[in-house]
Amino acid sequence: MRLLDDGAKKGKVMKELLMMKGAKTLVDVATKVQAGETVLLVTDYAKTDIAQAVAAVACDRGAEVMIMCMKPRKRAGEEPPAAVAAAMKNADVVIVPVSYSITHTHAVKNAAAAGARIIVMTDFTPEVMMHGGIEADFDQIKPTCIAVAKALETAEEIHITSPGGTDLRFNTKGRRGNALYCVVEKGQFSTIPTIEANTTPIEGTAEGIIVCDASIPYLGIGLVDEPVICKVEGGFITEIKGGRAAEILRKDLASHADKNSYNIAELGIGLNPKCRMCGIMLEDEGVLGTCHIGIGTSLTLGGVTKAPCHYDLIMWHPTIVADGKVIFDKDHPTL
């Protein structure tokens, strides 16, 4: 028994040491924490080990570090408690390792507007801190990410097709393109380790078919074992077909009793060559050679819709055409 206890302790120590690599990336590269800055870790009961690892590095850099631990949210897109939201607006850096995403909330939008540098770490595991997308060279990929976001921002009509059967069109005139490359300046937020360029459709303009054949990293679904096929009319999903994953998504959206849950909210293009398709949201969404269609809230990305949720439907090997020009062809940007 003693030998087993000693082995477990050694394994725990080794895990903590390996997590420090990711913690240093978050503090030194993603947010560039400086001595004297206020750093707020917003976490929940299930992610305190990750928050503590990041806090230790931030403390070592001379920052004033606080950890606020809340109950895990019940669903993605649920606002954090008011006290947490207030603290977020008064921090220089906000790092958010949580079980369910608070990315698409007023709390994040308001904290960014107040000047915080925000990194969101939804559904992180110790393994995500050690290897995978977090090992990418964010600065090297940054120019490509910005270029793709610019192409989305200057476009009016977007057309997405995929070998799996997606055929979706929408208008995005006047909407901003967002470049999320895991490095934030004042007033910005980014997810990590996904690197993506995204935009929001004009409400009511999306028409066609979405075929999700990779992942829905929410609601316990993860990698899909059968494609989820969504019919889109007038900017909203009107029909969902498929197997187990489709049934889970259909029941959850219906449970909100809010039409905005079906809103076509986002096109995101994965650009991180180190990300792996594994069922974890911020790894899956960044996989190079994929795109995702976000549904529900678009408010934090440049749209106007606030819904009870925000979920992403990820597909393999899309071709994305902006105003008649191919900007992404199956696996790579073509800019």
Side-chain angles (χ1 to χ4, degrees):
M1 187 67 178
R2 177 66 180 274
L3 289 174
L4 290 174
D5 288 344
D6 289 345
K9 289 177 181 177
K10 290 178 181 178
K12 183 174 183 293
V13 170
M14 182 57 68
K15 183 182 79 170
E16 291 172 350
L17 290 173
L18 290 172
M19 285 171 64
M20 283 298 165
K21 179 181 178 182
K24 290 177 180 177
T25 297
L26 286 156
V27 172
D28 296 335
V29 178
T31 56
K32 296 180 174 62
V33 170
Q34 302 298 308
E37 288 193 307
T38 301
V39 176
L40 173 65
L41 278 296
V42 176
T43 190
D44 58 46
Y45 305 150
K47 303 296 178 183
T48 54
D49 56 342
I50 294 171
Q52 288 168 357
V54 179
V57 176
C59 282
D60 185 66
R61 304 301 185 261
E64 183 71 44
V65 180
M66 299 171 291
I67 298 177
M68 296 188 76
C69 187
M70 59 186 179
K71 290 191 299 183
R73 303 293 85 190
K74 295 178 182 178
R75 52 178 167 73
E78 183 180 357
E79 296 286 337
V84 173
M88 290 169 66
K89 289 197 297 182
N90 288 283
D92 297 306
V93 175
V94 181
I95 299 175
V96 189
V98 288
S99 302
Y100 292 96
S101 172
I102 66 167
T103 306
H104 302 282
T105 60
H106 290 293
V108 167
K109 183 178 181 181
N110 293 340
R117 311 194 302 276
I118 307 168
I119 288 289
V120 181
M121 304 165 60
T122 302
D123 199 27
F124 255 55
T125 65
E127 289 70 28
V128 175
M129 291 280 284
M130 298 175 196
H131 58 84
I134 204 162
E135 296 177 296
D137 186 334
F138 303 147
D139 288 325
Q140 182 182 49
I141 303 169
K142 175 181 174 179
T144 298
C145 188
I146 291 173
V148 175
K150 186 66 174 177
L152 294 174
E153 181 168 290
T154 56
E156 295 188 13
E157 294 290 336
I158 302 290
H159 184 202
I160 307 154
T161 57
S162 76
T166 293
D167 190 347
L168 184 72
R169 296 176 183 268
F170 59 81
N171 185 284
T172 190
K173 184 178 180 180
R175 288 293 168 85
R176 72 175 191 246
N178 303 296
L180 306 181
Y181 44 83
C182 306
V183 178
V184 286
E185 305 293 338
K186 184 176 180 179
Q188 295 180 341
F189 79 88
S190 180
T191 47
I192 195 171
T194 179
I195 297 176
E196 67 176 81
N198 64 48
T199 192
T200 56
I202 300 295
E203 287 71 19
T205 65
E207 299 279 347
I209 298 291
I210 301 166
V211 180
C212 168
D213 56 5
S215 172
I216 303 176
Y218 303 82
L219 306 171
I221 298 173
L223 305 182
V224 298
D225 54 5
E226 183 177 336
V228 176
I229 303 168
C230 300
K231 185 177 181 180
V232 178
E233 298 175 297
F236 295 92
I237 290 175
T238 57
E239 185 179 24
I240 302 173
K241 294 181 179 180
R244 182 189 71 89
E247 182 66 14
I248 293 171
L249 181 63
R250 185 164 50 241
K251 287 182 176 179
D252 181 86
L253 293 177
S255 73
H256 300 305
D258 187 330
K259 185 179 180 180
N260 285 340
S261 298
Y262 298 87
N263 175 56
I264 303 302
E266 174 195 6
L267 163 64
I269 303 172
L271 297 169
N272 188 337
K274 294 288 188 178
C275 278
R276 309 149 295 151
M277 192 64 67
C278 60
I280 295 174
M281 181 180 70
L282 293 180
E283 284 280 344
D284 292 5
E285 292 179 359
V287 172
L288 183 64
T290 70
C291 79
H292 53 273
I293 301 299
I295 60 175
T297 294
S298 64
L299 190 67
T300 52
L301 299 175
V304 299
T305 301
K306 182 69 173 80
C309 58
H310 180 98
Y311 304 138
D312 294 301
L313 314 181
I314 306 172
M315 69 190 72
W316 284 111
H317 309 305
T319 296
I320 300 170
V321 179
D323 292 341
K325 178 183 178 182
V326 176
I327 63 170
F328 192 92
D329 187 4
K330 293 185 170 56
D331 294 302
H332 299 284
T334 59
L335 301 172

